[in-house]
Amino acid sequence: MTGLGREGMSECNTRRPVSLLDVAKAAGVSRATASLVLRQSPLVADKTRLRVVEAMQSLGYIYNRGAANLRRNRTGTIGLVLNNIGSPFYSALMAGVDEVNEDGSVVTLVANSVDSPDRQIRQIRRLREHNVDGIILCPAIGSDETLAVELARLDLPCVQALRHVELLGGDYVGADYRSGIEKAVRHLVGSGHRRIVFVGAMALHSAARERNEGFRHATGLHGLEGGLVVAGGPDNVYDVAAFDRLLKTRNSPDAAVCYNDVIALNVMNRLRSLGRQPGRDFAVIGMDNLPQAAGAFPALTTIDTRPHEVGRKAAALLQKRIAQPGLANGEHIIVPPSLIVRQSCGETSAAA
Amino acid sequence: MTGLGREGMSECNTRRPVSLLDVAKAAGVSRATASLVLRQSPLVADKTRLRVVEAMQSLGYIYNRGAANLRRNRTGTIGLVLNNIGSPFYSALMAGVDEVNEDGSVVTLVANSVDSPDRQIRQIRRLREHNVDGIILCPAIGSDETLAVELARLDLPCVQALRHVELLGGDYVGADYRSGIEKAVRHLVGSGHRRIVFVGAMALHSAARERNEGFRHATGLHGLEGGLVVAGGPDNVYDVAAFDRLLKTRNSPDAAVCYNDVIALNVMNRLRSLGRQPGRDFAVIGMDNLPQAAGAFPALTTIDTRPHEVGRKAAALLQKRIAQPGLANGEHIIVPPSLIVRQSCGETSAAA
DNA sequence: TGCCCGATTTGGATCGATCTATATCCGTCG
DNA sequence: CGACGGATATAGATCGATCCAAATCGGGCA
């Protein structure tokens, strides 16, 4: 009763962490005032503020955000759910998110769905338990209404990034894959190519479908002999046998637009194995502009889908949603991609 | 006074989240019992447990870990401080950390120091405020005693990864860069190379110094004409001019061990510009085994430093420290690297 | 002197879980 | 019949901040 029983022996064995109450006592003010100082309130007199700040420093006070969160019902954290945490593409996205978050002093909790809808739901739940204020979600392949139901239940602002699932609705930030592929085809056509193959086609998620559509649309636009498409799948694979066969046909293609850079690099290697020299006998264009594209041989022409920028935009949008939960959502922000011309698409053959 | 004032109109406009108290009331038990159910305590009767679980489900209860943390003084989160969040190398590390964390149902808060000691300290503080249970730190270049002081002040379990700062002491998990470089040199010597250059030498952090030492030691061991070293710096650069000059000397080197894969790829491209064919006229070995190494042309021989495994080990060690804070720390776990032989080091010339 | 008002300060309730010590139940045994 | 003990259940304090309404202070003015 005489002092809460902890005054007795300061600097004793049981090092209890310094709380705001300790600071307040040391500064001779109330908890409430000390709290106001913490939050830079203009209500406290400068003299008092100074005293409190000094007490904080001398005691080595550390702000306990967790305690504050409980009351404020806001944590200053967001969740980022990726399908493949180890991929450079996603780390660029994450870097963008982190940049914006740091400005808003928000921290990022990362989770990996490994493109499994079940894991995805588990991860989202886990993040929710940690009271993230919102999440940025790159939806896993095969996401279905279970996800929509769960998100509704959790009542959590959610921005989709890179891919979007129609039935979720809501906000989305992604690249314009469609126009990206179209740019690539236009460039090749401009360099005199007429037989262009799209390598790595699949329809497992929106980003893939948009690329396919972009290719179909572009070939139509330029009146190319359509239908030169080689199938692909997740994990950066493509149907190598089909590609090989296609190359052996009369009137075989002399240019490829690839689903992404990794496939493009594989295609270049395959071409060499088949005795063709990428960038000279055969033009190759990739997509994503991964770091390895510039260093490849020949340096890979590619469509930069700017994942870093997508990350920035997604984080900013999520911040907006968190700040004003009432607003109608459903915004779609589409980042325009750009074509980075390097050697793999045979600059020289432009004259042909 | 008649029921805390929230019973009156259930399902009304002010959707207060469901708390454990609500669940308890609905199940006709006390908060304490409901809490025991949450934590799978064997103390509750099966009949009761069932009732509580049903109440949770029908009310759509969501566990508020933040509230629990306040009391338990443990959050189930760790911080991961990286120097370059966008790099594939670090994302591999992160993937490893995440794997282990997920098994222990721990979540990762990432922060990016961008190799700036100031930012690094800010990030660590920020993580600490969020009450992470510990951190995995890849110390920034130029980390000094300020960091040591801060870490001591925060009183937080900390495992260093990939690089270590001597004056911090404590736990460390990293690759055996020294022996990795030695393996590379041995392999080249075994293939008949005698004039080997180390490209990208620098001494900005422990991982770099260990590579340098490894090279010095290996050249001594094999009685090579030593001293063939080309300087390097952060951000994957090396002294291109010096490298070019070296190649023009009489008795110029015919093999290079590079600081990392990115530099190795640049070196391969540079060699081609200078009219040499990597993998045939000149052997190149990289370090790290980034995804792009396998896809390069020629496929890059490299030393796999296994960042994913380092991440796993670091996360596991940190969990141990968190579980048993008393234990003396200062463990050094060194992951053995392995040499991945591909085409860039000229398999064929082994016969020469 | 007394009253009013803006500028500060503060007590006490609150967020939602966990922990500790205590209470209750119920069958069994002396 | 009462005591005992194992099995369950619970009340109340607690973690460390924030929020709200109310108290206090200190001049200035009538």
Side-chain angles (χ1 to χ4, degrees):
Chain A
M1 297 289 184
T2 49
L4 285 159
R6 54 164 76 140
E7 289 291 277
M9 32 176 82
S10 61
E11 301 288 351
C12 189
N13 38 10
T14 52
R15 294 233 306 120
R16 203 183 40 82
V18 181
S19 84
L20 197 50
L21 183 60
D22 302 319
V23 171
K25 261 193 230 151
V29 298
S30 72
R31 228 176 23 269
T33 305
S35 175
L36 289 175
V37 171
L38 266 186
R39 286 171 289 154
Q40 329 262 19
S41 161
L43 288 180
V44 284
D46 287 345
K47 232 172 36 181
T48 315
R49 179 193 317 283
L50 197 67
R51 233 174 338 130
V52 173
V53 169
E54 272 167 4
M56 283 181 182
Q57 270 161 4
S58 75
L59 293 183
Y61 171 71
I62 296 169
Y63 183 54
N64 186 333
R65 205 173 282 274
N69 293 339
L70 184 55
R71 195 69 235 271
R72 304 210 314 152
N73 224 28
R74 182 73 76 75
T75 59
T77 59
I78 68 156
L80 176 59
V81 183
L82 305 174
N83 337 86
N84 180 356
I85 211 176
S87 136
F89 185 70
Y90 287 103
S91 47
L93 178 87
M94 182 161 52
V97 170
D98 191 73
E99 249 175 60
V100 171
N101 272 357
E102 210 193 324
D103 292 347
S105 66
V106 166
V107 316
T108 313
L109 282 76
V110 280
N112 198 0
S113 73
V114 210
D115 256 327
S116 144
D118 285 357
R119 271 179 70 108
Q120 174 172 257
I121 292 225
R122 281 208 305 280
Q123 301 286 20
I124 292 174
R125 253 181 221 154
R126 201 158 69 113
L127 292 173
R128 176 59 227 256
E129 284 188 356
H130 280 278
N131 294 318
V132 294
D133 296 331
I135 66 177
I136 294 177
L137 174 68
C138 306
I141 289 175
S143 299
D144 56 10
E145 63 283 352
T146 323
L147 174 62
V149 169
E150 186 68 13
L151 279 174
R153 186 177 85 90
L154 296 183
D155 185 31
L156 203 58
C158 173
V159 170
Q160 296 184 69
L162 296 175
R163 310 168 175 176
H164 60 288
V165 176
E166 296 299 345
L167 57 79
L168 284 188
D171 297 311
Y172 167 65
V173 181
D176 190 347
Y177 304 105
R178 218 166 174 287
S179 88
I181 295 282
E182 286 173 14
K183 277 187 193 182
V185 172
R186 190 179 320 133
H187 180 79
L188 290 172
V189 168
S191 313
H193 295 278
R194 300 292 298 171
R195 289 189 56 86
I196 303 170
V197 55
F198 182 57
V199 183
M202 55 170 171
L204 293 167
H205 49 75
S206 66
R209 283 189 297 271
E210 288 170 21
R211 289 173 218 215
N212 298 356
E213 282 165 22
F215 185 72
R216 258 209 323 266
H217 184 250
T219 50
L221 215 61
H222 297 287
L224 306 181
E225 307 92 289
L228 293 185
V229 168
V230 166
D235 297 324
N236 297 326
V237 300
Y238 70 96
D239 185 339
V240 180
F243 180 73
D244 289 2
R245 254 179 278 124
L246 191 58
L247 280 203
K248 287 200 196 98
T249 56
R250 251 161 61 87
N251 229 352
S252 76
D254 57 356
V257 174
C258 300
Y259 176 82
N260 66 20
D261 286 347
V262 176
I263 288 188
L265 295 178
N266 289 339
V267 164
M268 291 211 293
N269 281 334
R270 189 67 198 156
L271 284 167
R272 273 186 284 254
S273 308
L274 299 174
R276 305 255 204 143
Q277 199 175 337
R280 181 174 283 270
D281 311 339
F282 197 106
V284 176
I285 298 186
M287 184 162 218
D288 284 347
N289 194 26
L290 293 188
Q292 57 235 64
F297 177 74
L300 182 64
T301 293
T302 189
I303 300 138
D304 188 351
T305 51
R306 299 161 68 200
H308 185 273
E309 187 59 20
V310 171
R312 290 187 61 96
K313 291 257 165 58
L317 181 54
L318 183 56
Q319 288 310 321
K320 193 167 97 181
R321 291 297 174 235
I322 291 170
Q324 313 169 343
L327 252 60
N329 60 357
E331 198 166 329
H332 278 218
I333 297 179
I334 307 298
V335 174
S338 51
L339 180 72
I340 313 281
V341 178
R342 300 202 182 91
Q343 281 74 54
S344 72
C345 63
E347 268 303 70
T348 54
S349 69
Chain B
M1 298 291 185
T2 49
L4 285 160
R6 53 165 74 143
E7 290 290 275
M9 32 178 78
S10 62
E11 302 288 351
C12 188
N13 38 11
T14 52
R15 294 234 305 121
R16 206 182 38 81
V18 181
S19 84
L20 196 50
L21 183 59
D22 302 319
V23 170
K25 262 193 229 153
V29 299
S30 72
R31 232 179 13 274
T33 306
S35 175
L36 289 175
V37 171
L38 267 187
R39 286 170 288 154
Q40 330 262 19
S41 161
L43 288 179
V44 283
D46 286 345
K47 230 172 35 180
T48 315
R49 179 192 317 282
L50 197 65
R51 231 170 344 125
V52 173
V53 169
E54 271 167 5
M56 283 180 182
Q57 270 161 3
S58 75
L59 292 184
Y61 171 71
I62 296 169
Y63 183 54
N64 186 334
R65 204 174 282 275
N69 292 339
L70 184 55
R71 193 71 233 274
R72 305 212 313 152
N73 225 27
R74 183 74 75 76
T75 60
T77 60
I78 67 156
L80 176 60
V81 183
L82 305 174
N83 337 86
N84 181 357
I85 211 177
S87 136
F89 185 69
Y90 287 104
S91 48
L93 177 86
M94 183 161 51
V97 169
D98 191 72
E99 249 176 59
V100 171
N101 272 358
E102 210 191 324
D103 292 347
S105 65
V106 166
V107 315
T108 313
L109 282 72
V110 281
N112 197 359
S113 73
V114 208
D115 255 328
S116 143
D118 285 358
R119 271 180 70 108
Q120 173 172 258
I121 292 224
R122 281 207 305 279
Q123 301 285 22
I124 292 174
R125 255 182 219 151
R126 201 156 71 112
L127 292 173
R128 174 60 226 255
E129 284 188 355
H130 280 278
N131 295 317
V132 294
D133 296 332
I135 67 177
I136 295 177
L137 174 67
C138 307
I141 290 175
S143 298
D144 55 11
E145 65 281 352
T146 322
L147 174 63
V149 169
E150 186 68 14
L151 279 174
R153 187 177 86 89
L154 296 183
D155 185 31
L156 203 59
C158 173
V159 171
Q160 296 185 71
L162 297 175
R163 312 168 174 175
H164 59 288
V165 176
E166 295 300 346
L167 56 78
L168 284 189
D171 296 313
Y172 167 65
V173 181
D176 191 347
Y177 305 105
R178 220 167 174 285
S179 88
I181 294 284
E182 288 173 12
K183 277 187 191 179
V185 172
R186 189 179 320 133
H187 179 79
L188 289 172
V189 168
S191 313
H193 296 278
R194 299 293 297 172
R195 288 188 55 84
I196 303 170
V197 54
F198 181 57
V199 182
M202 54 168 170
L204 292 168
H205 51 75
S206 66
R209 283 189 296 272
E210 287 169 22
R211 288 172 218 213
N212 297 357
E213 282 166 22
F215 186 72
R216 260 212 319 269
H217 184 250
T219 50
L221 215 62
H222 296 288
L224 306 182
E225 307 92 291
L228 292 184
V229 168
V230 166
D235 298 323
N236 297 327
V237 300
Y238 71 96
D239 185 339
V240 180
F243 180 72
D244 289 2
R245 254 180 277 123
L246 191 58
L247 280 204
K248 287 200 197 96
T249 56
R250 254 163 56 87
N251 229 351
S252 75
D254 58 356
V257 174
C258 300
Y259 177 81
N260 67 20
D261 285 347
V262 175
I263 288 187
L265 295 178
N266 288 338
V267 163
M268 291 211 293
N269 281 334
R270 189 68 199 155
L271 284 167
R272 273 187 285 253
S273 307
L274 299 173
R276 306 254 203 143
Q277 198 174 337
R280 180 171 284 271
D281 312 338
F282 197 107
V284 176
I285 298 186
M287 184 162 219
D288 284 347
N289 195 24
L290 294 187
Q292 57 233 66
F297 176 74
L300 183 66
T301 294
T302 189
I303 300 137
D304 188 351
T305 51
R306 300 160 69 199
H308 185 273
E309 186 60 21
V310 171
R312 289 188 61 96
K313 291 256 164 62
L317 181 55
L318 183 57
Q319 289 310 323
K320 194 168 97 182
R321 291 300 174 231
I322 291 170
Q324 312 170 344
L327 253 60
N329 60 358
E331 197 166 328
H332 279 217
I333 299 180
I334 307 299
V335 174
S338 51
L339 180 71
I340 314 281
V341 177
R342 300 204 182 91
Q343 282 73 54
S344 73
C345 63
E347 269 301 71
T348 52
S349 68

